[in-house]
Amino acid sequence: MLSCGVLAKAQPVVVCPIASHSLEKKNGRKQLAAGGSVDLPSCTCSTTRTSSASQASCSKLSLKSSSFFSRNLSPLTSSRVENGRKASKAGDTTPRAAVAVDAVSTATNEFQIDGGANLKVKISGASPGSPAVIELEVYNSNASQLVLHWGATKSGKSKWYLPSRRPADTRDFQNQALQTPFLKDGNKAYLTVELADADLNGIEFLLKEDNTDRWFKNRGGNFRVDVPKADVDFSNISIPEDLCGIQAYVRWERNGKQNYSPEQEQKEYAEARKDLQREVASGVSIEEIRQRFAAGGESKDEGNNKDNNYTKKTSQSAPQQKRSGSRVSRKSRDPMELLNKYDEVKTGTAATSAPAPPREPTPLEMGAVVMEGVDNGAVVLKKFFKLGGNSLLVLVTNPGGEVRVRMATDMTEPVSLHWGLSKMNNREWQAPPEAVTPENSILLEGSCETPLKKGFAGDESLQSLEIVVGDAGYIGMPFVLKCGGNWYKDNGGDYYVSLKPVEKKKLKALGDGTGTARAFLEEIANQESEAQRSLMHRYNIAVGLASQAKEEGELALVGILVWLRYMATRQLIWNKNYNVKPREISAAQEKLTDLLQAIYRDQPQNREVVRLIMSTVGRGGQGDVGQRIRDEILVIQRNNDCKGGMMEEWHQKLHNNTSPDDVVICQALLDHIQSGFDMNVYWKTLNDNGVTKERMRSYDRPIVSEPKLRRDQRDGLIRDLNAYMRTLKAVHSGADLESAVAICMGYSAEGQGFMGGVNIHPISGLSGALPDLLRFVLEHIEDKEVVPLLEGLLEARRELRANLLSRHDRLRDIIFLDLALDSSVRTAIERGLESLGNSGPADLASIVSLVVENLALSSNNNEELVYCLKDWYVIIDLIKSNSPMWALRTKAVLDRTRLALQDKAEHYQNLLQPTAEYLGTLLGVENWAMEIFTEEMIRSGSAASLSLLLNRLDPVIRKEAKMGSWQVISPVETQGVVVVVDELLDVEDKVYDRPTILVAGRVRGEEEIPDGAVAVLTPDMPDILSHVSVRARNGKICFATCFDSEVLEKLRSLSGKAVKVEPTLNDLKYSEVNESELSGAGGAQTSDSAPPPGITLTKKKFVGKYAIPADDFNPDMVGAKSRNIAHLRGKLPSWIKLPTSVALPFGSFEKVLAESINQDVAKDIATLTKEIDAGDFHKLKDVRETVLRMKAPPALVEELKKTLEGSNMPWPGSESKERWEQAWTAIKKVWGSKWNERAYFSTRKVKIDHNDLCMAVLVQEIIQADYAFVIHTTNPSTEDSSEIYAEVVKGLGETLVGAYSGRALSFVAKKSNVQSPQIIGFPSKRVGLFIKQSIIFRSDSNGEDLEGYAGAGLYDSVPMDTEDERVVDYSTDALILDEKFRSSMLAKIAAAGLAIEELYGSPQDIEGVIKDGELYVVQTRPQM
């Protein structure tokens, strides 16, 4: 018996005519020739039994797969190869065939176009003697002069061709396109196009309204329809089965490796056979096809198809993703590739929360205000509608209970209002009583038509109409407009305004609109009642609002986010008895998400907010996927005989108004069936996802029954509901992983009967590695071992990133896929947290790095996260190499990452919460939903997952580093009542009347500790040498950082109770005590204890000089800071360097203020000072701003110039006048810092007379520091005088002593061996301050370094130039990485501290910098 492809000689001959052509032999090949037919033996190999040796080549190549991916088959493995080419079997002949044409193939496409109109295109393929026919029908359209702007297309060509056969009245457009008018019939328009040229395979086109020059596009591009290929009978052309299998594989690969059903698989196999039969009919031999496949080619017929060819190119050009076992192999990438930085408006500050400059009101808006005043503000409704480029105002008022409706527009052509009144039901049409109709009205059956008049509120450029409805009990007014022969409707329906007054809600105090796009939010609230009609209305309204937000910026986009989030969480009504087709909802979603993808593409600074918006919205459907929601449920009911009860109720709900609830209902049914029809499982799935029994009863088409399904329906329902779930998710769940993957990779769904099919094309241009990665992710998405899954998810996101940053035409679907991958990381972490309990530090650090990477991929301005990621990569290597410092280093990176999360949470709180509260109040959202809005947004992202991981890793690291749950900064045993506060800054000027233990969520480092506080306990990490730490130690107040969130939470739970705290160096114990035991507790002053004696200052006087050199520094002229630095000159080893210094002495400020040029300033300061003394502390800021108005007397300028130049320091004025102004402003800021809040309250606490406080200014040349340090020559934590303690930061020292979060590098050194410093902690500071060569002006008051009162750090030091704040990269810093460099530098710092202490003979607090290896001391003072 012969194998497939070998023709048996005894087979009958078949004659197959092909349109009066036959095959003739030419140049060794048979081709079509005119006027004949061909005799060809037919092959029956499909029914012929084959030998076992040939069965492999004859069997079908199965494409069946559990996902859209098939096995990576080698399609030629069953064939024999000789000398690099296919071997033919003996007796193989070359079949040639003529074919018969069957019935003409047809296809129908439908599109929705702007204004609610629809386009239906029916295409009939060519038949012998007849051209291809394209019939276009536009319906639900008000366009009066519709034109088709078109050109024909050829396979593989992008150029438009202008066919010679054209419909009547077609005109040539610039020799580039044709324009053909439609035939109008009511609200429909028709046109037929014939394509007689066989080379033309379709048309591309746009629609145009000729009289208004309005264009209609297909989602921003051209419409395109292709002529279906003729359905030809190739049954008499035999193709070997192995070649059919290969061609089927090529088609599957070309189409994006879709997930085919068995039915689709069979259809694809048949199409593959037809491809090859068509080739053979055109004269290609079987042997030539076999040789082409062996060489890696593809079907000639398909290879020129430009729409499909990209898939093959992608898969061939990209390397396959390598795997090691069951894990993907991640590519080595530079984390800096993830960096994105955009200029952003910081929220939550007075300077930036002020509203943007108001735009000029439009004439309509001004007219509305005038007419509101006419009716004494009795406004029921004020609403603006867009009419193309114009607007319509509807103003409803009820002065004295009499309802009036005013309409006005800025359209220039005459406008008529076609209107009615509603009395019983919303939107019903009733003709108004004749007494109500304005003049020139025409009463019609059920309605009225009234022309608008020229003029509105005195503006003749507008036209308007007033209708006095009175008090007849009408509830609303439906209407449409007519202008220039065109009807204007509301998204294809009637406009409608309510005439009923709505009770206005009072705004919450917190939701007053500060820090929001207030006017925009009020516009959202104004449109909410219309949005509640259906999800279609909401999404269509959202399109208009999002277009406006695109222009207004970030806060307006936040308004869209909050609004849609409230909708998604069911805080807003989804539908009010409005019947809407699923495809209409799908189309509205698609419009919205198309607009959002454009904002994402064009406004990179707003991408994070746009991602959040898109996570609340379904993607909408392509093709007929929306309509399938409606049709497919009928097919499910019919196929599975379940037409009554709950299934019928659900069917009715789906037909009336589908919503995201349907995804939950479908899942509940699947869980119910798969659990053996357990009803408890059904209700659990529903309730867990917020779809309660009450909610289901509230639908316009309520679902009140429980499912009553039979066991014989089980398999069919599971199959069909799973398929239906994909349809539901394609519309409603854009960020669902399986749906997002399928849409990006492409899939098809067969039609059945009346139900149309769906064909989603694969996305072009994706990484060749992505399909395998996505397959891996889907295969492992439920694994308990989550690390391989996380690696796959992150590798897929990295491969997708280039497409996210491109201007891709399918960007929306790429964003949804990225959102789905991002969300899967979070769910994987939450699911796998239990299994991570036994993971070692290296594994935990690796997982943390993955989640940090994930968060960086999803975040704007992610520089801090990127540097954290670089640090984690270093940590992983340190742990694996068992470095002795790995635990301390890991703790620092962990702390830095926590601070980055804290920053992100604060950013979200400042950005989102004001809008959530203001808009929520306007919309009547429940208080609890408003209050937790931002918290829930954070919880739903990967930041929450990262926080969980850090909490899991932290105790492991602290144990390895031999650190307890606490770091004690000031070890004072005390007792008091626990008071929980958000920030220490909030209570720094408060006075507690009993000993108080403050548990503060934030401590920034510069705050004052309030009177009555005996302890401050915080999860925050101020430096041990920060101002607040120094003050705690000086005041004998317990101060400690808690690293264990559970310990801190237990402490918070004791709020209001008396507690005793007992600290040690690395731990702190607490226990409850009776409140009666609190008397005599140590710590800060309480109101019950005896007041401390006041500190008296000697008020300094002006000594007749505005500027003095360092040689003249003395107690009458400058403070201790200047005198101490002068005292060091010439007394230290030469390797310790000092900056050059001069000063503006005491009394200079008072002298300048007394000058006549500043008399107005002096008067204002005197007035403000009296108000401050009377208790109005808000005026402190006003004083500082007033000081900046002072003018410099010429004598000061001249003396300062002479003194600086005499000390070999640069004079700013020599550069430019502007440079001197910078210096003068810095001097005034130092003087003004006398009125800093923290300084004022601190001096007030110790009863210093603020009027006696005098301020000298120490002027020094800035050292452009690589590092800065602070030394305490007695360890402040242990009070060990034999041990030096020091802290080091990158850049200038302000990050160490100021309010910059994170810890510095800290170390100790024994004075007996300063060459052997011991690291206590590595840095977690996020930023360093750097500056160009400049001058700094330092505060030097007579109220610092006093006995019993340090006063250090209360007043400002101001550089002439602004510091450059840079995120610190420790992964490349020699201080962290180079142990030899680090030890040398730290030893030098310790030796300098020891030398200065020996010089003064007492413990010192020293500040200095390192520049190019050289050490500079900039100031020293006695250690307090």
Side-chain angles (χ1 to χ4, degrees):
M1 189 66 68
L2 296 173
S3 64
C4 295
V6 181
L7 301 176
K9 293 178 181 178
Q11 296 299 323
V13 172
V14 181
V15 179
C16 303
I18 310 180
S20 300
H21 288 72
S22 68
L23 297 174
E24 66 177 24
K25 190 166 183 178
K26 186 176 183 179
N27 296 327
R29 297 179 60 175
K30 293 189 178 178
Q31 297 182 340
L32 284 171
S37 62
V38 64
D39 295 347
L40 183 72
S42 64
C43 174
T44 58
C45 70
S46 59
T47 60
T48 304
R49 184 178 181 87
T50 61
S51 66
S52 60
S54 63
Q55 282 192 3
S57 62
C58 193
S59 61
K60 291 183 179 180
L61 181 61
S62 174
L63 299 179
K64 187 174 182 180
S65 173
S66 60
S67 70
F68 57 85
F69 298 98
S70 182
R71 293 176 291 276
N72 188 9
L73 301 173
S74 177
L76 297 174
T77 53
S78 62
S79 302
R80 185 164 51 91
V81 178
E82 292 179 0
N83 298 323
R85 55 181 294 165
K86 266 302 192 166
S88 302
K89 289 185 180 281
D92 192 6
T93 64
T94 304
R96 303 284 185 260
V99 294
V101 178
D102 285 350
V104 174
S105 298
T106 62
T108 301
N109 293 334
E110 288 205 26
F111 307 90
Q112 187 168 49
I113 57 180
D114 292 348
N118 297 82
L119 168 65
K120 183 176 181 179
V121 185
K122 180 180 179 182
I123 315 103
S124 302
S127 61
S130 300
V133 178
I134 301 172
E135 300 170 82
L136 300 98
E137 176 187 347
V138 178
Y139 54 97
N140 293 335
S141 170
N142 296 317
S144 59
Q145 298 179 31
L146 201 60
V147 168
L148 183 75
H149 180 90
W150 66 287
T153 58
K154 293 184 179 181
S155 179
K157 306 291 185 182
S158 59
K159 176 183 176 182
W160 281 16
Y161 296 85
L162 309 185
S164 56
R165 181 183 294 195
R166 306 172 182 182
D169 299 323
T170 296
R171 59 181 182 259
D172 193 295
F173 180 78
Q174 299 178 2
N175 203 31
Q176 297 178 352
L178 300 176
Q179 292 189 337
T180 306
F182 280 77
L183 179 64
K184 182 75 173 174
D185 182 12
N187 71 344
K188 295 185 179 180
Y190 303 92
L191 178 61
T192 298
V193 174
E194 294 181 350
L195 296 180
D197 187 342
D199 288 341
L200 303 178
N201 70 338
I203 65 170
E204 283 192 7
F205 61 93
L206 301 171
L207 300 180
K208 178 188 178 188
E209 190 174 15
D210 229 14
N211 56 327
T212 63
D213 203 31
R214 183 183 181 193
W215 292 83
F216 301 90
K217 298 183 178 182
N218 182 22
R219 298 197 300 272
N222 296 338
F223 295 91
R224 178 187 174 110
V225 293
D226 293 323
V227 175
K229 294 177 181 177
D231 191 1
V232 182
D233 180 9
F234 291 115
S235 60
N236 294 310
I237 299 180
S238 174
I239 302 295
E241 294 297 315
D242 65 322
L243 298 185
C244 292
I246 295 168
Q247 178 64 10
Y249 177 85
V250 170
R251 287 175 61 90
W252 170 77
E253 185 183 53
R254 184 187 302 124
N255 290 329
K257 302 182 179 180
Q258 300 173 25
N259 180 20
Y260 289 150
S261 66
E263 294 79 11
Q264 290 171 305
E265 198 173 300
Q266 291 176 5
K267 181 180 178 181
E268 276 296 297
Y269 197 87
E271 289 298 320
R273 183 188 299 278
K274 196 174 291 185
D275 289 343
L276 299 181
Q277 288 172 328
R278 187 178 290 109
E279 280 199 74
V280 172
S282 70
V284 180
S285 71
I286 292 291
E287 179 59 23
E288 287 169 327
I289 293 172
R290 192 179 294 282
Q291 289 175 3
R292 186 182 69 241
F293 280 147
E298 58 178 47
S299 168
K300 180 180 178 181
D301 184 63
E302 297 292 334
N304 293 325
N305 187 326
K306 72 184 181 75
D307 292 328
N308 291 325
N309 202 34
Y310 64 82
T311 308
K312 186 167 185 67
K313 289 178 182 175
T314 298
S315 61
Q316 286 182 342
S317 62
Q320 293 292 311
Q321 184 72 23
K322 295 181 180 179
R323 296 195 201 97
S324 175
S326 60
R327 298 172 79 150
V328 301
S329 176
R330 296 212 59 191
K331 294 179 182 176
S332 176
R333 294 183 174 92
D334 182 359
M336 297 305 292
E337 293 173 2
L338 299 179
L339 184 66
N340 59 60
K341 292 173 64 177
Y342 308 108
D343 293 333
E344 63 175 342
V345 178
K346 295 182 179 178
T347 58
T349 64
T352 58
S353 62
R359 63 175 176 82
E360 192 71 25
T362 66
L364 273 180
E365 291 170 336
M366 290 189 291
V369 172
V370 171
M371 301 316 294
E372 287 177 49
V374 169
D375 288 343
N376 298 316
V379 177
V380 173
L381 177 143
K382 180 171 73 173
K383 193 166 186 177
F384 291 89
F385 297 93
K386 283 290 183 184
L387 304 174
N390 300 100
S391 298
L392 171 71
L393 162 70
V394 181
L395 180 66
V396 182
T397 60
N398 63 346
E402 182 181 69
V403 176
R404 296 178 183 177
V405 179
R406 292 183 177 89
M407 294 195 182
T409 179
D410 53 4
M411 297 179 78
T412 55
E413 293 188 52
V415 177
S416 291
L417 178 72
H418 189 84
W419 61 285
L421 293 172
S422 303
K423 194 159 192 175
M424 301 299 294
N425 300 303
N426 290 336
R427 298 183 177 276
E428 71 171 335
W429 283 79
Q430 288 187 17
E434 190 170 356
V436 170
T437 59
E439 62 179 342
N440 299 322
S441 295
I442 301 173
L443 276 171
L444 306 170
E445 185 177 346
S447 64
C448 181
E449 190 162 301
T450 307
L452 274 66
K453 295 181 178 180
K454 277 285 183 184
F456 178 63
D459 189 338
E460 291 299 313
S461 70
L462 307 175
Q463 48 184 317
S464 65
L465 173 66
E466 180 176 345
I467 302 171
V468 180
V469 178
D471 57 356
Y474 291 104
I475 63 173
M477 174 186 287
F479 66 92
V480 293
L481 296 171
K482 187 177 182 181
C483 178
N486 293 317
W487 289 94
Y488 288 86
K489 297 185 177 183
D490 185 14
N491 288 310
D494 301 331
Y495 292 101
Y496 181 80
V497 292
S498 174
L499 306 182
K500 297 186 298 183
V502 179
E503 181 182 353
K504 294 201 173 183
K505 303 178 179 71
K506 292 182 180 179
L507 300 183
K508 289 173 56 179
L510 287 176
D512 63 359
T514 301
T516 72
R518 180 171 179 166
F520 183 76
L521 301 186
E522 290 169 354
E523 176 64 18
I524 291 176
N526 194 30
Q527 300 205 43
E528 174 58 24
S529 61
E530 183 71 8
Q532 291 179 358
R533 290 175 65 191
S534 74
L535 289 177
M536 178 194 73
H537 289 82
R538 187 175 297 279
Y539 293 136
N540 281 331
I541 289 169
V543 171
L545 290 169
S547 297
Q548 184 178 341
K550 181 180 181 182
E551 304 304 319
E552 294 197 19
E554 183 179 48
L555 286 179
L557 287 169
V558 168
I560 298 288
L561 166 62
V562 171
W563 182 49
L564 292 178
R565 176 77 178 184
Y566 280 144
M567 178 272 294
T569 55
R570 304 184 177 93
Q571 294 298 315
L572 303 177
I573 295 171
W574 286 4
N575 182 264
K576 278 189 174 178
N577 199 27
Y578 188 91
N579 192 345
V580 61
K581 298 174 184 175
R583 65 181 172 83
E584 293 172 333
I585 295 176
S586 174
Q589 285 174 309
E590 195 165 37
K591 271 191 207 171
L592 176 58
T593 51
D594 273 348
L595 176 57
L596 291 171
Q597 81 166 351
I599 299 172
Y600 182 96
R601 180 192 63 222
D602 299 335
Q603 298 182 359
Q605 74 277 14
N606 290 324
R607 281 177 179 162
E608 188 169 355
V609 174
V610 173
R611 285 173 63 90
L612 294 173
I613 296 172
M614 292 183 73
S615 70
T616 69
V617 184
R619 75 180 283 280
Q622 277 190 356
D624 227 13
V625 70
Q627 184 60 28
R628 279 180 68 97
I629 289 179
R630 204 172 192 182
D631 297 342
E632 200 168 341
I633 186 63
L634 291 171
V635 175
I636 292 171
Q637 289 181 284
R638 183 187 65 193
N639 287 351
N640 297 281
D641 188 26
C642 50
K643 298 180 181 178
M646 178 267 169
M647 292 295 289
E648 179 58 27
E649 292 167 357
W650 188 30
H651 160 220
Q652 292 300 324
K653 184 235 182 259
L654 289 160
H655 270 234
N656 184 63
N657 204 317
T658 183
S659 70
D661 282 4
D662 294 315
V663 176
V664 181
I665 293 170
C666 188
Q667 188 61 57
L669 284 170
L670 282 166
D671 293 347
H672 168 64
I673 296 166
Q674 291 169 331
S675 68
F677 301 92
D678 186 336
M679 198 60 67
N680 292 326
V681 171
Y682 171 76
W683 285 113
K684 184 178 187 305
T685 299
L686 290 172
N687 290 323
D688 286 352
N689 291 277
V691 182
T692 62
K693 187 176 293 186
E694 293 72 22
R695 181 169 180 81
M696 295 173 78
R697 288 180 180 276
S698 73
Y699 297 146
D700 293 332
R701 299 292 188 271
I703 300 176
V704 299
S705 305
E706 292 183 332
K708 294 181 180 178
L709 305 171
R710 305 188 308 271
R711 295 193 179 276
D712 63 298
Q713 298 169 318
R714 179 184 183 278
D715 292 344
L717 281 172
I718 289 175
R719 177 196 65 230
D720 291 350
L721 287 173
N722 271 314
Y724 193 40
M725 180 68 86
R726 182 166 69 179
T727 300
L728 290 169
K729 286 182 174 180
V731 174
H732 294 303
S733 305
D736 170 75
L737 181 62
E738 188 175 352
S739 173
V741 169
I743 286 166
C744 283
M745 294 296 105
Y747 74 91
S748 299
E750 293 279 335
Q752 295 187 37
F754 57 83
M755 181 177 68
V758 172
N759 184 28
I760 305 296
H761 294 292
I763 293 178
S764 63
L766 297 179
S767 160
L770 194 60
D772 276 348
L773 287 166
L774 295 177
R775 180 189 60 77
F776 178 88
V777 164
L778 290 178
E779 287 175 356
H780 294 272
I781 196 66
E782 299 294 336
D783 287 2
K784 290 184 179 179
E785 173 54 51
V786 297
V787 175
L789 171 63
L790 290 171
E791 292 171 340
L793 288 165
L794 266 299
E795 189 65 15
R797 290 198 72 189
R798 292 297 288 267
E799 291 289 345
L800 199 61
R801 179 170 165 78
N803 301 101
L804 281 169
L805 303 178
S806 70
R807 303 182 69 84
H808 201 288
D809 61 343
R810 295 274 299 276
L811 180 60
R812 172 188 58 173
D813 295 327
I814 296 169
I815 296 169
F816 276 128
L817 176 56
D818 191 60
L819 285 170
L821 294 167
D822 181 10
S823 177
S824 297
V825 171
R826 177 180 58 82
T827 54
I829 290 296
E830 291 171 354
R831 186 180 71 252
L833 207 56
E834 290 292 324
S835 65
L836 298 178
N838 298 322
S839 300
D843 289 336
L844 284 172
S846 295
I847 297 167
V848 168
S849 73
L850 290 169
V851 184
V852 171
E853 181 182 7
N854 191 64
L855 187 57
L857 280 163
S858 303
S859 300
N860 273 7
N861 296 302
N862 61 1
E863 189 175 17
E864 175 63 14
L865 289 168
V866 170
Y867 284 120
C868 285
L869 180 60
K870 293 184 73 175
D871 283 342
W872 280 109
Y873 289 159
V874 173
I875 291 302
I876 293 167
D877 291 339
L878 287 176
I879 296 174
K880 289 179 177 178
S881 65
N882 200 28
S883 166
M885 290 288 187
W886 74 262
L888 283 177
R889 183 78 176 92
T890 303
K891 176 60 177 159
V893 175
L894 187 150
D895 289 343
R896 180 179 185 176
T897 309
R898 269 189 173 149
L899 291 170
L901 287 180
Q902 184 174 292
D903 280 353
K904 192 160 191 68
E906 286 186 359
H907 171 69
Y908 270 24
Q909 184 72 22
N910 294 332
L911 181 67
L912 305 182
Q913 195 60 29
T915 295
E917 292 180 356
Y918 187 70
L919 182 59
T921 305
L922 290 174
L923 298 175
V925 172
E926 295 185 58
N927 283 346
W928 67 265
M930 288 188 276
E931 290 166 358
I932 67 169
F933 182 88
T934 301
E935 180 183 347
E936 288 302 308
M937 288 295 297
I938 294 169
R939 286 181 184 275
S940 66
S942 53
S945 305
L946 181 55
S947 181
L948 287 172
L949 278 173
L950 296 178
N951 290 341
R952 182 63 60 94
L953 179 59
D954 187 70
V956 176
I957 299 307
R958 282 190 280 108
K959 181 179 179 181
E960 291 288 342
K962 297 180 174 55
M963 300 170 66
S965 298
W966 295 84
Q967 181 175 25
V968 179
I969 298 170
S970 176
V972 177
E973 184 176 313
T974 190
Q975 52 193 18
V977 175
V978 174
V979 173
V980 179
V981 298
D982 290 334
E983 294 200 31
L984 183 60
L985 187 65
D986 296 338
V987 296
E988 65 174 350
D989 58 344
K990 190 176 178 66
V991 176
Y992 291 98
D993 58 6
R994 56 183 178 172
T996 299
I997 296 173
L998 290 174
V999 181
R1002 287 297 305 270
V1003 176
R1004 300 176 185 274
E1006 289 191 316
E1007 303 91 336
E1008 283 296 309
I1009 298 173
D1011 283 349
V1014 296
V1016 177
L1017 310 177
T1018 179
D1020 222 335
M1021 296 172 282
D1023 288 301
I1024 290 175
L1025 300 184
S1026 66
H1027 296 315
V1028 71
S1029 301
V1030 171
R1031 289 176 198 129
R1033 288 191 292 268
N1034 290 345
K1036 303 302 180 186
I1037 297 167
C1038 179
F1039 188 28
T1041 291
C1042 182
F1043 298 119
D1044 192 321
S1045 59
E1046 291 184 8
V1047 171
L1048 198 67
E1049 198 55 43
K1050 289 178 183 176
L1051 193 55
R1052 287 192 177 109
S1053 69
L1054 296 175
S1055 180
K1057 297 181 179 179
V1059 167
K1060 180 179 182 180
V1061 294
E1062 302 173 86
T1064 60
L1065 183 60
N1066 287 321
D1067 203 1
L1068 182 145
K1069 296 179 182 178
Y1070 62 88
S1071 57
E1072 285 191 61
V1073 296
N1074 292 326
E1075 196 165 343
S1076 59
E1077 301 178 31
L1078 295 184
S1079 59
Q1085 173 68 26
T1086 67
S1087 60
D1088 293 334
S1089 56
I1095 296 176
T1096 302
L1097 297 180
T1098 302
K1099 189 174 179 67
K1100 303 293 184 178
K1101 297 180 180 180
F1102 184 62
V1103 294
K1105 293 182 179 180
Y1106 280 117
I1108 57 174
D1111 290 341
D1112 293 345
F1113 290 178
N1114 64 62
D1116 292 327
M1117 303 181 80
V1118 294
K1121 189 180 296 183
S1122 300
R1123 298 197 309 273
N1124 287 339
I1125 202 71
H1127 178 70
L1128 294 176
R1129 295 173 68 196
K1131 301 182 178 69
L1132 293 173
S1134 59
W1135 56 268
I1136 302 177
K1137 303 184 181 303
L1138 303 172
T1140 306
S1141 305
V1142 302
L1144 280 74
F1146 291 136
S1148 297
F1149 167 73
E1150 291 78 8
K1151 174 65 174 173
V1152 172
L1153 189 62
E1155 294 281 347
S1156 59
I1157 56 175
N1158 292 314
Q1159 60 182 2
D1160 291 342
V1161 176
K1163 182 179 178 181
D1164 290 345
I1165 290 177
T1167 301
L1168 291 168
T1169 301
K1170 289 178 181 178
E1171 293 176 1
I1172 293 169
D1173 292 342
D1176 188 355
F1177 303 128
H1178 292 98
K1179 292 295 191 294
L1180 288 166
K1181 179 183 176 184
D1182 295 340
V1183 175
R1184 296 197 299 273
E1185 291 176 350
T1186 303
V1187 168
L1188 294 178
R1189 289 164 39 202
M1190 292 170 60
K1191 298 175 182 177
L1196 181 148
V1197 178
E1198 187 59 35
E1199 284 190 45
L1200 183 57
K1201 175 184 178 183
K1202 182 178 179 181
T1203 305
L1204 286 171
E1205 291 179 341
S1207 301
N1208 293 320
M1209 291 178 67
W1211 164 241
S1214 64
E1215 297 179 54
S1216 66
K1217 182 180 179 181
E1218 289 75 17
R1219 291 292 285 164
W1220 158 246
E1221 288 299 329
Q1222 281 181 259
W1224 175 234
T1225 298
I1227 292 168
K1228 290 185 289 186
K1229 285 182 178 180
V1230 175
W1231 283 338
S1233 68
K1234 172 181 174 179
W1235 286 274
N1236 277 344
E1237 283 78 4
R1238 64 180 185 274
Y1240 184 86
F1241 293 127
S1242 179
T1243 55
R1244 189 165 169 258
K1245 210 179 281 185
V1246 295
K1247 300 190 179 345
I1248 289 177
D1249 187 338
H1250 197 259
N1251 293 320
D1252 291 339
L1253 189 76
C1254 295
M1255 185 74 68
V1257 180
L1258 174 63
V1259 186
Q1260 292 181 320
E1261 194 168 0
I1262 285 181
I1263 310 299
Q1264 294 174 286
D1266 299 322
Y1267 302 95
F1269 59 83
V1270 173
I1271 308 169
H1272 278 200
T1273 58
T1274 290
N1275 190 325
S1277 298
T1278 62
E1279 298 183 355
D1280 184 351
S1281 61
S1282 69
E1283 193 171 66
I1284 291 171
Y1285 176 89
E1287 294 181 341
V1288 184
V1289 294
K1290 287 276 286 184
L1292 301 177
E1294 182 59 25
T1295 61
L1296 204 161
V1297 298
Y1300 290 83
S1301 57
R1303 288 268 170 85
L1305 181 145
S1306 57
F1307 72 96
V1308 294
K1310 290 294 183 182
K1311 293 176 182 176
S1312 59
N1313 186 13
V1314 293
Q1315 296 303 313
S1316 300
Q1318 180 185 347
I1319 298 287
I1320 301 298
F1322 281 93
S1324 57
K1325 293 278 185 189
R1326 282 92 55 73
V1327 298
L1329 296 179
F1330 300 87
I1331 197 168
K1332 68 179 185 179
Q1333 192 67 39
S1334 186
I1335 293 173
I1336 189 168
F1337 300 88
R1338 298 183 183 275
S1339 59
D1340 191 23
S1341 76
N1342 62 338
E1344 299 176 61
D1345 302 329
L1346 306 174
E1347 187 175 350
Y1349 178 69
L1354 293 176
Y1355 309 103
D1356 293 345
S1357 294
V1358 183
M1360 190 174 82
D1361 294 284
T1362 303
E1363 302 102 327
D1364 179 19
E1365 187 174 295
R1366 303 177 199 164
V1367 178
V1368 178
D1369 183 2
Y1370 294 117
S1371 69
T1372 59
D1373 188 355
L1375 182 65
I1376 308 303
L1377 302 180
D1378 188 335
E1379 185 176 353
K1380 184 177 180 181
F1381 172 83
R1382 180 173 64 239
S1383 295
S1384 173
M1385 191 176 89
L1386 301 187
K1388 181 181 286 188
I1389 292 171
L1394 180 59
I1396 294 171
E1397 182 187 64
E1398 289 175 345
L1399 175 65
Y1400 278 97
S1402 63
Q1404 292 292 298
D1405 174 357
I1406 305 162
E1407 295 181 24
V1409 299
I1410 302 288
K1411 171 64 176 175
D1412 296 332
E1414 299 287 349
L1415 185 146
Y1416 296 79
V1417 171
V1418 297
Q1419 69 179 59
T1420 184
R1421 61 169 66 91
Q1423 180 178 333
M1424 304 296 289

